Amino acid sequence: MATFRELLATTKQRITEIDPAEAEARLGGATFLDVRELDEYEQGMIPGTVFIPRGHLESQAEGKLPDKHAPVVIYCAGGTRSVFAADTLQQLGYTDVVHMAGGFGRWKNEGRPWITPVVLSPEQRNRYHRHVLLPEVGEAGQRRLLESKVLLLGAGGLGSPAALYLAAAGVGTLGIVDMDVVDASNLQRQVLHNIDRIGERKVDSAKKTLTNLNPDIDVVTYDVRFGADNVLDIIDGYDVVLDGTDNFPTRYLLNDATVLKRIPVVHGSIFRFEGQVTVFDPYHGPCYRCMLPEPPPPELAPSCAEAGVLGVLPGIVGSIQALETIKLLLDLGDPLRGRLLAYDALEQSFRTFKVRRDPTCPTCGDDAPPIVIAEYDDLCLPHATLADGTTTGH
């Protein structure tokens, strides 16, 4: 039976060791991997470090270090755990792994750069544990969500499920624009509200629901008409706008403002048993006017109040909008840029259609004139009942 010292010495023969000076020269070119425990990590770290406690290395390495040929510098507190961690990574197929002698203690004592990481509180770590377990999200991704700001246009059918899931996910600031009141006819689909709040301002009802769901977040309410006079001020500072409106004046106005501010929009719409979702990311894909240059004639575009909508449908579409929003915030996967996702509830089918950026688009085209923020009431007569620009939510 080998002693610990003998095992350590034998393992060292199988790995490469560098000192902190050599390690510092690799900052920016190699991935630094911290294999200490969480309480040690919270007290200080080398900038840009990937954190995987030694006890989770085998299960988490391939998720957090996907490129097995990229250079990796491993460190712990004093230079012992990193020896065994380096050996483990080599056994997992990593080809360019070194361990740093002396660990973080020696690095810090020699005056090399280090920072105190911003970490989740114990309560947050417990609340968002299922997110933290995902290598694509992790604690860094959850902190990013907590620092993000999303504006929701409408606290209705689409805004309700989207707001609930974004709040539950820990998106730190949710802005909600709606100047309507809760009506009994809303309760068939607008799950932010309840029967006790009939007659209450929708933004106030929404704030109560969301802050009760997650006290971590800040809900900013805009009980105002969303128009040319305030659109730029309202959207300023938000990372993503989630469009849950049901009228053309607001959609075209929002398109102009977000293209001007270069803020991505997650667009959703519903009609009877069908829904659509897409992402308009200015100059990285098409804008709303690329997809719909002019409003359709009135007979082809009745509102939900005129044509009806299956109550569960906005729950599905709004949830997809929330998912696309989180993908944008975390730079995950392939968002629906340049693609329109169409859902048919009766067929229970999804179809995806390509939407191309129009080089002649008057808003985002190559030779488009400067954007002028103006009302679209005269242009968008199909919804004349909403021609005041009121933001409502299906």
Side-chain angles (χ1 to χ4, degrees), residues 317-339:
V317 175
S319 296
I320 295 173
Q321 286 182 273
L323 177 58
E324 288 297 305
T325 299
I326 290 173
K327 286 164 63 179
L328 289 172
L329 295 174
L330 297 181
D331 195 22
L332 284 178
D334 185 14
L336 289 169
R337 295 185 187 96
R339 293 183 295 146

Side-chain angles (χ1 to χ4, degrees), residues 38 41-42 117-121 124-125 139 143:
L38 180 61
Y41 170 78
E42 291 177 343
V118 178
V119 297
L120 301 178
S121 68
Q124 289 173 327
R125 196 170 290 118
E139 186 160 328
R143 291 197 306 270

Side-chain angles (χ1 to χ4, degrees), residues 7 25 29 54-55 74 79 133-134 154 160 174 204 221 230 246 270 283 295 302 309 330 342 353 375 377 384 392-393:
L7 181 61
R54 176 65 189 89
I74 306 179
L133 287 175
L134 294 169
S160 287
L174 293 178
D204 296 334
T221 59
N230 61 13
D246 66 354
I270 52 176
Y283 303 106
V309 62
L330 297 181
F353 302 93
E375 303 289 356
D377 297 357
T392 62

Side-chain angles (χ1 to χ4, degrees), residues 15-345:
I15 66 167
T16 301
E17 179 179 275
I18 62 174
D19 62 28
E22 294 175 277
E24 185 175 10
R26 302 190 185 196
L27 279 174
T31 298
F32 278 62
L33 174 63
D34 187 336
V35 295
R36 296 174 297 164
E37 295 303 309
L38 180 61
D39 61 330
E40 299 173 288
Y41 170 78
E42 291 177 343
Q43 296 174 26
M45 57 172 275
I46 298 172
T49 288
V50 173
F51 172 61
I52 307 177
R54 176 65 189 89
H56 298 284
L57 184 61
E58 290 82 355
S59 61
Q60 295 185 10
E62 292 177 332
K64 293 188 175 182
L65 303 170
D67 186 352
K68 292 191 174 183
H69 301 294
V72 179
V73 177
I74 306 179
Y75 69 91
C76 59
T80 298
R81 282 170 287 178
S82 57
V83 170
F84 295 106
D87 188 49
T88 296
L89 284 191
Q90 290 182 163
Q91 293 179 52
L92 288 172
Y94 289 84
T95 60
D96 189 358
V97 179
V98 298
H99 111 95
M100 186 176 76
F104 182 71
R106 181 175 167 186
W107 175 281
K108 185 177 177 181
N109 290 337
E110 292 178 359
R112 305 187 190 281
W114 64 280
I115 59 174
T116 301
V118 178
V119 297
L120 301 178
S121 68
E123 294 78 13
Q124 289 173 327
R125 196 170 290 118
N126 181 56
R127 182 183 187 97
Y128 305 116
H129 182 59
R130 301 304 193 276
H131 275 178
V132 173
L133 287 175
L134 294 169
E136 297 85 354
V137 180
E139 186 160 328
Q142 187 59 56
R143 291 197 306 270
R144 189 170 173 181
L145 288 178
L146 287 164
E147 295 166 357
S148 297
K149 297 181 178 182
V150 174
L151 180 69
L152 296 104
L153 294 191
L158 295 177
S160 287
L164 286 167
Y165 274 110
L166 292 175
V171 174
T173 300
L174 293 178
I176 302 179
V177 185
D178 203 310
M179 62 175 295
D180 202 0
V181 298
V182 179
D183 183 82
S185 66
N186 302 148
L187 304 183
Q188 166 249 18
R189 64 204 178 281
Q190 299 181 15
V191 293
L192 275 173
H193 317 296
N194 60 49
I195 196 167
D196 294 330
R197 299 182 190 162
I198 291 176
E200 191 171 324
R201 309 304 298 181
K202 280 189 178 180
V203 291
D204 296 334
S205 173
K207 184 169 184 174
K208 290 176 183 177
T209 300
L210 298 174
T211 52
N212 282 334
L213 175 63
N214 189 351
D216 273 350
I217 68 170
D218 181 25
V219 179
V220 182
T221 59
Y222 303 88
D223 190 359
V224 296
R225 173 186 178 277
F226 189 76
D229 60 332
N230 61 13
V231 58
L232 294 177
D233 290 334
I234 290 176
I235 70 173
D236 189 47
Y238 284 95
D239 301 303
V240 178
V241 176
L242 190 147
D243 179 14
T245 63
D246 66 354
N247 65 91
F248 290 108
T250 304
R251 290 173 183 168
Y252 283 105
L253 176 66
L254 174 66
N255 183 68
D256 289 351
T258 51
V259 170
L260 185 63
K261 290 275 191 175
R262 296 178 181 253
I263 300 173
V265 174
V266 179
H267 169 79
S269 62
I270 52 176
F271 175 71
R272 291 174 56 85
F273 302 98
E274 299 175 357
Q276 298 179 342
V277 182
T278 189
V279 171
F280 300 119
D281 194 352
Y283 303 106
H284 295 286
C287 74
Y288 185 71
R289 195 179 286 278
C290 293
M291 182 179 76
L292 199 65
E294 299 293 340
E299 64 272 14
L300 296 181
S303 69
C304 291
E306 298 167 322
V309 62
L310 186 67
V312 72
L313 177 65
I316 297 169
V317 175
S319 296
I320 295 173
Q321 286 182 273
L323 177 58
E324 288 297 305
T325 299
I326 290 173
K327 286 164 63 179
L328 289 172
L329 295 174
L330 297 181
D331 195 22
L332 284 178
D334 185 14
L336 289 169
R337 295 185 187 96
R339 293 183 295 146
L340 178 72
L341 181 68
Y343 172 64
D344 187 318

